[in-house]
Amino acid sequence: MMLPTSMQEPTNLYSVGLDKTPANFSALSPLSFLAKAAAVYPDRIALIHGQRRISWAETYVRCRRLASALQRRGIGSGDTVAVMAPNIPATYEASFGVPMIGAVLNTLNIRLDAEAIAFQLAHSEARVLFTDREFSTTIARALSLLERPPLVIDIDDALYEGGESLGQIEYEALLQEGDPDFAWQLPADEWDAITLNYTSGTTGNPKGVVYHHRGAYLNAVSNIVSWGMPQHTVYLWTLPMFHCNGWCFPWTMAANAGTNVCLRKVDAALIFDAIRTYRVTHMCAAPIIYNMLINTPPAPGEGITHKVSGFIAGSAPPASTIEGMERLGFDITHVYGLTETYGPASVCAKHESWTELPLAERARLNARQGVASPMQEIMTVLDPLTLQPVPRDGQTIGEIMFRGNIMMKGYLKNPAATAEAFAGGWFHTGDLAVVDPDGYVRIKDRSKDVIISGGENISSIEVEDVLYRHPAVDVAAVVARPDPKWGEVPYAFVQLKPGASASAEEIRAFCREHLAHFKVPKAVVFGAIPKTSTGKLQKFRLREQIKDDEGSLK
């Protein structure tokens, strides 16, 4: 018997017959931005590199050639393609050409040593490696450490002389193998991996952070919205493209149909010259870069006469950095994030009323980590044990946590670390902070022993591991010390074996043999290292010693 309509189970009127179809749904992917820029603004300049000017139409053709050439060599969905290169057109083009065939782009940190590069190539099972000649020495050493080296393709950049060719073919020759009309397609699933970025975290071996197309798309757009970027922005590449895929700005600039000004080397004179020559409107950098500009201002009459907007991130910038850049005529906005959040996932959103405040107070407010960016769902500070929000009193400390679409898929081949990072349905940053009465987050300390130097992560455990290899070292501990230039630098405390001897310079020289130079401790302090009753090193006491006894460091 059929029940009267009023007694039937209620149904959702909108759940039937309103389904996803090709007409009303497509996967979000930042690759779509490039096709649109080329179609709408084909003749606008996409990239400037030395004397080269590359239009958006030409960029699109080059990326399609790259995708086609890789596919013809057997590269496809889920394959890793690594790039070891500075901020040059080839690196930019890989941001589109590699994922056009479903492959995953791994941009390598050009500051790393051969051992770290070898680990990442092996861990990611890289099938192809593009490498600029500048890094041929490091790459040659890394390749010698691999049982199954990838196909190597050299990049001969006209702005660099030197280095050796290591590959089977050069980049431009590879592009000629590709079809300029290659019919690439958006991913079937926006959750598919698009890039792989390694972060040192708190362990010696870095963790592989996997990005998806959806997150890359949303953060690329979020950059535009949170910064209020006008169309056709002129963007200077002072931020490495290898770092969190340049905070997603390769894709942002395609969505913006702006101009990318490439910069192989970060130098104050080159930066000021590029800003004047190309009328750069936007740039991103760690505090160290802005401090460099503050300390080497342009000569009288050579200053910047137009507005330049800058994103700043890394270790929490001192208010003096923001204040100093404002005096140079730059409008600085503080953003915060991690590799796991595609770079900036929060922004210190400015209020018009702040403009009436004294410069020092305005800089203090602008130095906070702020609020969730437009496309990130939630940024909050929770009690790490109860996962309850801390009060907005500017005093109660909790852990910064994120939840939303601008979040990694997880760590490659590391389900335990992924589960730990996402425990309780939140991404745990490990950064300790308070929430001010206006709802803005302000970092107070780091719960992890990561040292952020010049915007790059240094694992204290990795440095300690090298120190322990020295025959004279019995116990070693590495902690961060604030530094006016680099933000933070590693300092080593060493307890020698009975009867052994070693100088600070000998220890540092040993580290230079096994580590990238920026990871080498800036000082070595000898003596007994405090421990708990269970033998755990008391690093908090070492940090206190740095503050109380700076004169003893040698």
PDB file of all heavy atoms in Angstrom, residues 178-199:
ATOM      1  N   GLY A 178      59.168  17.806 -29.390  1.00  0.00           N
ATOM      2  CA  GLY A 178      57.775  17.816 -28.982  1.00  0.00           C
ATOM      3  C   GLY A 178      56.843  18.469 -29.988  1.00  0.00           C
ATOM      4  O   GLY A 178      57.248  19.270 -30.829  1.00  0.00           O
ATOM      5  N   ASP A 179      55.577  18.140 -29.868  1.00  0.00           N
ATOM      6  CA  ASP A 179      54.519  18.660 -30.735  1.00  0.00           C
ATOM      7  C   ASP A 179      54.029  19.996 -30.178  1.00  0.00           C
ATOM      8  O   ASP A 179      53.527  20.051 -29.043  1.00  0.00           O
ATOM      9  CB  ASP A 179      53.377  17.649 -30.772  1.00  0.00           C
ATOM     10  CG  ASP A 179      52.218  18.091 -31.664  1.00  0.00           C
ATOM     11  OD1 ASP A 179      52.288  19.208 -32.237  1.00  0.00           O
ATOM     12  OD2 ASP A 179      51.230  17.332 -31.758  1.00  0.00           O
ATOM     13  N   PRO A 180      54.123  21.094 -30.932  1.00  0.00           N
ATOM     14  CA  PRO A 180      53.658  22.392 -30.437  1.00  0.00           C
ATOM     15  C   PRO A 180      52.149  22.445 -30.233  1.00  0.00           C
ATOM     16  O   PRO A 180      51.649  23.317 -29.523  1.00  0.00           O
ATOM     17  CB  PRO A 180      54.107  23.373 -31.524  1.00  0.00           C
ATOM     18  CG  PRO A 180      54.219  22.547 -32.764  1.00  0.00           C
ATOM     19  CD  PRO A 180      54.680  21.195 -32.303  1.00  0.00           C
ATOM     20  N   ASP A 181      51.424  21.521 -30.861  1.00  0.00           N
ATOM     21  CA  ASP A 181      49.967  21.471 -30.719  1.00  0.00           C
ATOM     22  C   ASP A 181      49.528  20.288 -29.854  1.00  0.00           C
ATOM     23  O   ASP A 181      48.394  19.812 -29.967  1.00  0.00           O
ATOM     24  CB  ASP A 181      49.315  21.364 -32.095  1.00  0.00           C
ATOM     25  CG  ASP A 181      49.620  22.571 -32.962  1.00  0.00           C
ATOM     26  OD1 ASP A 181      49.521  23.699 -32.453  1.00  0.00           O
ATOM     27  OD2 ASP A 181      49.992  22.379 -34.138  1.00  0.00           O
ATOM     28  N   PHE A 182      50.416  19.833 -29.002  1.00  0.00           N
ATOM     29  CA  PHE A 182      50.139  18.661 -28.169  1.00  0.00           C
ATOM     30  C   PHE A 182      48.798  18.807 -27.442  1.00  0.00           C
ATOM     31  O   PHE A 182      48.535  19.815 -26.784  1.00  0.00           O
ATOM     32  CB  PHE A 182      51.264  18.482 -27.153  1.00  0.00           C
ATOM     33  CG  PHE A 182      51.068  17.326 -26.209  1.00  0.00           C
ATOM     34  CD1 PHE A 182      51.086  16.016 -26.674  1.00  0.00           C
ATOM     35  CD2 PHE A 182      50.872  17.554 -24.847  1.00  0.00           C
ATOM     36  CE1 PHE A 182      50.911  14.954 -25.798  1.00  0.00           C
ATOM     37  CE2 PHE A 182      50.703  16.498 -23.969  1.00  0.00           C
ATOM     38  CZ  PHE A 182      50.716  15.192 -24.453  1.00  0.00           C
ATOM     39  N   ALA A 183      47.954  17.789 -27.556  1.00  0.00           N
ATOM     40  CA  ALA A 183      46.598  17.834 -26.995  1.00  0.00           C
ATOM     41  C   ALA A 183      46.598  17.291 -25.569  1.00  0.00           C
ATOM     42  O   ALA A 183      46.203  16.158 -25.310  1.00  0.00           O
ATOM     43  CB  ALA A 183      45.639  17.024 -27.873  1.00  0.00           C
ATOM     44  N   TRP A 184      47.061  18.093 -24.636  1.00  0.00           N
ATOM     45  CA  TRP A 184      47.042  17.704 -23.220  1.00  0.00           C
ATOM     46  C   TRP A 184      45.625  17.839 -22.670  1.00  0.00           C
ATOM     47  O   TRP A 184      44.767  18.497 -23.272  1.00  0.00           O
ATOM     48  CB  TRP A 184      47.994  18.585 -22.420  1.00  0.00           C
ATOM     49  CG  TRP A 184      47.595  20.033 -22.401  1.00  0.00           C
ATOM     50  CD1 TRP A 184      47.823  20.964 -23.372  1.00  0.00           C
ATOM     51  CD2 TRP A 184      46.838  20.688 -21.385  1.00  0.00           C
ATOM     52  NE1 TRP A 184      47.268  22.175 -23.012  1.00  0.00           N
ATOM     53  CE2 TRP A 184      46.656  22.042 -21.794  1.00  0.00           C
ATOM     54  CE3 TRP A 184      46.303  20.288 -20.171  1.00  0.00           C
ATOM     55  CZ2 TRP A 184      45.969  22.963 -21.018  1.00  0.00           C
ATOM     56  CZ3 TRP A 184      45.617  21.217 -19.390  1.00  0.00           C
ATOM     57  CH2 TRP A 184      45.451  22.532 -19.824  1.00  0.00           C
ATOM     58  N   GLN A 185      45.382  17.244 -21.511  1.00  0.00           N
ATOM     59  CA  GLN A 185      44.061  17.314 -20.893  1.00  0.00           C
ATOM     60  C   GLN A 185      44.199  17.597 -19.414  1.00  0.00           C
ATOM     61  O   GLN A 185      45.221  17.273 -18.786  1.00  0.00           O
ATOM     62  CB  GLN A 185      43.296  15.997 -21.099  1.00  0.00           C
ATOM     63  CG  GLN A 185      42.941  15.708 -22.546  1.00  0.00           C
ATOM     64  CD  GLN A 185      42.109  14.438 -22.676  1.00  0.00           C
ATOM     65  OE1 GLN A 185      42.031  13.637 -21.757  1.00  0.00           O
ATOM     66  NE2 GLN A 185      41.487  14.264 -23.827  1.00  0.00           N
ATOM     67  N   LEU A 186      43.159  18.217 -18.850  1.00  0.00           N
ATOM     68  CA  LEU A 186      43.121  18.423 -17.408  1.00  0.00           C
ATOM     69  C   LEU A 186      43.069  17.063 -16.712  1.00  0.00           C
ATOM     70  O   LEU A 186      42.613  16.079 -17.301  1.00  0.00           O
ATOM     71  CB  LEU A 186      41.894  19.245 -17.010  1.00  0.00           C
ATOM     72  CG  LEU A 186      41.883  20.718 -17.432  1.00  0.00           C
ATOM     73  CD1 LEU A 186      40.525  21.333 -17.109  1.00  0.00           C
ATOM     74  CD2 LEU A 186      42.989  21.486 -16.742  1.00  0.00           C
ATOM     75  N   PRO A 187      43.534  16.973 -15.470  1.00  0.00           N
ATOM     76  CA  PRO A 187      43.479  15.684 -14.770  1.00  0.00           C
ATOM     77  C   PRO A 187      42.037  15.220 -14.605  1.00  0.00           C
ATOM     78  O   PRO A 187      41.115  16.033 -14.453  1.00  0.00           O
ATOM     79  CB  PRO A 187      44.128  15.995 -13.419  1.00  0.00           C
ATOM     80  CG  PRO A 187      43.913  17.462 -13.222  1.00  0.00           C
ATOM     81  CD  PRO A 187      44.037  18.055 -14.599  1.00  0.00           C
ATOM     82  N   ALA A 188      41.847  13.915 -14.645  1.00  0.00           N
ATOM     83  CA  ALA A 188      40.506  13.374 -14.429  1.00  0.00           C
ATOM     84  C   ALA A 188      40.036  13.647 -13.012  1.00  0.00           C
ATOM     85  O   ALA A 188      38.849  13.832 -12.753  1.00  0.00           O
ATOM     86  CB  ALA A 188      40.498  11.870 -14.727  1.00  0.00           C
ATOM     87  N   ASP A 189      40.982  13.701 -12.093  1.00  0.00           N
ATOM     88  CA  ASP A 189      40.675  13.925 -10.683  1.00  0.00           C
ATOM     89  C   ASP A 189      41.559  15.056 -10.167  1.00  0.00           C
ATOM     90  O   ASP A 189      42.790  14.969 -10.235  1.00  0.00           O
ATOM     91  CB  ASP A 189      40.931  12.638  -9.884  1.00  0.00           C
ATOM     92  CG  ASP A 189      40.456  12.732  -8.438  1.00  0.00           C
ATOM     93  OD1 ASP A 189      40.170  13.859  -7.968  1.00  0.00           O
ATOM     94  OD2 ASP A 189      40.396  11.692  -7.767  1.00  0.00           O
ATOM     95  N   GLU A 190      40.956  16.110  -9.661  1.00  0.00           N
ATOM     96  CA  GLU A 190      41.730  17.246  -9.158  1.00  0.00           C
ATOM     97  C   GLU A 190      42.564  16.893  -7.934  1.00  0.00           C
ATOM     98  O   GLU A 190      43.418  17.667  -7.507  1.00  0.00           O
ATOM     99  CB  GLU A 190      40.802  18.422  -8.838  1.00  0.00           C
ATOM    100  CG  GLU A 190      39.741  18.090  -7.813  1.00  0.00           C
ATOM    101  CD  GLU A 190      38.670  19.175  -7.716  1.00  0.00           C
ATOM    102  OE1 GLU A 190      38.586  20.031  -8.614  1.00  0.00           O
ATOM    103  OE2 GLU A 190      37.910  19.153  -6.732  1.00  0.00           O
ATOM    104  N   TRP A 191      42.339  15.736  -7.363  1.00  0.00           N
ATOM    105  CA  TRP A 191      43.111  15.236  -6.224  1.00  0.00           C
ATOM    106  C   TRP A 191      44.421  14.600  -6.682  1.00  0.00           C
ATOM    107  O   TRP A 191      45.277  14.259  -5.871  1.00  0.00           O
ATOM    108  CB  TRP A 191      42.265  14.229  -5.438  1.00  0.00           C
ATOM    109  CG  TRP A 191      42.873  13.696  -4.176  1.00  0.00           C
ATOM    110  CD1 TRP A 191      43.267  12.413  -3.932  1.00  0.00           C
ATOM    111  CD2 TRP A 191      43.134  14.412  -2.961  1.00  0.00           C
ATOM    112  NE1 TRP A 191      43.756  12.282  -2.650  1.00  0.00           N
ATOM    113  CE2 TRP A 191      43.686  13.500  -2.034  1.00  0.00           C
ATOM    114  CE3 TRP A 191      42.963  15.744  -2.556  1.00  0.00           C
ATOM    115  CZ2 TRP A 191      44.060  13.863  -0.736  1.00  0.00           C
ATOM    116  CZ3 TRP A 191      43.342  16.099  -1.272  1.00  0.00           C
ATOM    117  CH2 TRP A 191      43.878  15.173  -0.383  1.00  0.00           C
ATOM    118  N   ASP A 192      44.609  14.438  -7.984  1.00  0.00           N
ATOM    119  CA  ASP A 192      45.852  13.859  -8.499  1.00  0.00           C
ATOM    120  C   ASP A 192      47.042  14.720  -8.081  1.00  0.00           C
ATOM    121  O   ASP A 192      46.948  15.944  -7.967  1.00  0.00           O
ATOM    122  CB  ASP A 192      45.812  13.777 -10.030  1.00  0.00           C
ATOM    123  CG  ASP A 192      44.913  12.662 -10.542  1.00  0.00           C
ATOM    124  OD1 ASP A 192      44.451  11.861  -9.721  1.00  0.00           O
ATOM    125  OD2 ASP A 192      44.661  12.623 -11.763  1.00  0.00           O
ATOM    126  N   ALA A 193      48.180  14.075  -7.899  1.00  0.00           N
ATOM    127  CA  ALA A 193      49.399  14.788  -7.520  1.00  0.00           C
ATOM    128  C   ALA A 193      49.874  15.660  -8.677  1.00  0.00           C
ATOM    129  O   ALA A 193      49.824  15.260  -9.839  1.00  0.00           O
ATOM    130  CB  ALA A 193      50.483  13.801  -7.124  1.00  0.00           C
ATOM    131  N   ILE A 194      50.351  16.857  -8.351  1.00  0.00           N
ATOM    132  CA  ILE A 194      50.908  17.761  -9.357  1.00  0.00           C
ATOM    133  C   ILE A 194      52.386  18.020  -9.123  1.00  0.00           C
ATOM    134  O   ILE A 194      53.160  18.097 -10.074  1.00  0.00           O
ATOM    135  CB  ILE A 194      50.122  19.097  -9.406  1.00  0.00           C
ATOM    136  CG1 ILE A 194      50.648  19.994 -10.537  1.00  0.00           C
ATOM    137  CG2 ILE A 194      50.163  19.829  -8.071  1.00  0.00           C
ATOM    138  CD1 ILE A 194      49.780  21.218 -10.796  1.00  0.00           C
ATOM    139  N   THR A 195      52.793  18.147  -7.840  1.00  0.00           N
ATOM    140  CA  THR A 195      54.207  18.375  -7.547  1.00  0.00           C
ATOM    141  C   THR A 195      54.606  17.663  -6.267  1.00  0.00           C
ATOM    142  O   THR A 195      53.765  17.241  -5.465  1.00  0.00           O
ATOM    143  CB  THR A 195      54.535  19.877  -7.386  1.00  0.00           C
ATOM    144  OG1 THR A 195      53.756  20.408  -6.314  1.00  0.00           O
ATOM    145  CG2 THR A 195      54.263  20.648  -8.665  1.00  0.00           C
ATOM    146  N   LEU A 196      55.921  17.551  -6.095  1.00  0.00           N
ATOM    147  CA  LEU A 196      56.523  16.957  -4.904  1.00  0.00           C
ATOM    148  C   LEU A 196      57.573  17.930  -4.395  1.00  0.00           C
ATOM    149  O   LEU A 196      58.446  18.369  -5.150  1.00  0.00           O
ATOM    150  CB  LEU A 196      57.163  15.609  -5.248  1.00  0.00           C
ATOM    151  CG  LEU A 196      58.008  14.933  -4.168  1.00  0.00           C
ATOM    152  CD1 LEU A 196      57.132  14.477  -3.002  1.00  0.00           C
ATOM    153  CD2 LEU A 196      58.774  13.736  -4.763  1.00  0.00           C
ATOM    154  N   ASN A 197      57.486  18.285  -3.111  1.00  0.00           N
ATOM    155  CA  ASN A 197      58.437  19.207  -2.501  1.00  0.00           C
ATOM    156  C   ASN A 197      58.969  18.605  -1.208  1.00  0.00           C
ATOM    157  O   ASN A 197      58.179  18.184  -0.354  1.00  0.00           O
ATOM    158  CB  ASN A 197      57.777  20.551  -2.194  1.00  0.00           C
ATOM    159  CG  ASN A 197      57.418  21.319  -3.442  1.00  0.00           C
ATOM    160  OD1 ASN A 197      58.244  21.991  -4.027  1.00  0.00           O
ATOM    161  ND2 ASN A 197      56.159  21.220  -3.868  1.00  0.00           N
ATOM    162  N   TYR A 198      60.268  18.593  -1.075  1.00  0.00           N
ATOM    163  CA  TYR A 198      60.866  17.998   0.125  1.00  0.00           C
ATOM    164  C   TYR A 198      61.101  19.061   1.197  1.00  0.00           C
ATOM    165  O   TYR A 198      61.526  20.176   0.912  1.00  0.00           O
ATOM    166  CB  TYR A 198      62.176  17.297  -0.221  1.00  0.00           C
ATOM    167  CG  TYR A 198      61.950  15.934  -0.839  1.00  0.00           C
ATOM    168  CD1 TYR A 198      61.843  15.791  -2.211  1.00  0.00           C
ATOM    169  CD2 TYR A 198      61.798  14.811  -0.045  1.00  0.00           C
ATOM    170  CE1 TYR A 198      61.608  14.547  -2.789  1.00  0.00           C
ATOM    171  CE2 TYR A 198      61.561  13.558  -0.595  1.00  0.00           C
ATOM    172  CZ  TYR A 198      61.470  13.434  -1.975  1.00  0.00           C
ATOM    173  OH  TYR A 198      61.224  12.203  -2.538  1.00  0.00           O
ATOM    174  N   THR A 199      60.794  18.683   2.424  1.00  0.00           N
ATOM    175  CA  THR A 199      61.050  19.540   3.573  1.00  0.00           C
ATOM    176  C   THR A 199      61.855  18.753   4.580  1.00  0.00           C
ATOM    177  O   THR A 199      61.627  17.550   4.785  1.00  0.00           O
ATOM    178  CB  THR A 199      59.747  20.037   4.213  1.00  0.00           C
ATOM    179  OG1 THR A 199      60.047  20.847   5.349  1.00  0.00           O
ATOM    180  CG2 THR A 199      58.841  18.882   4.629  1.00  0.00           C
TER     181      THR A 199
END
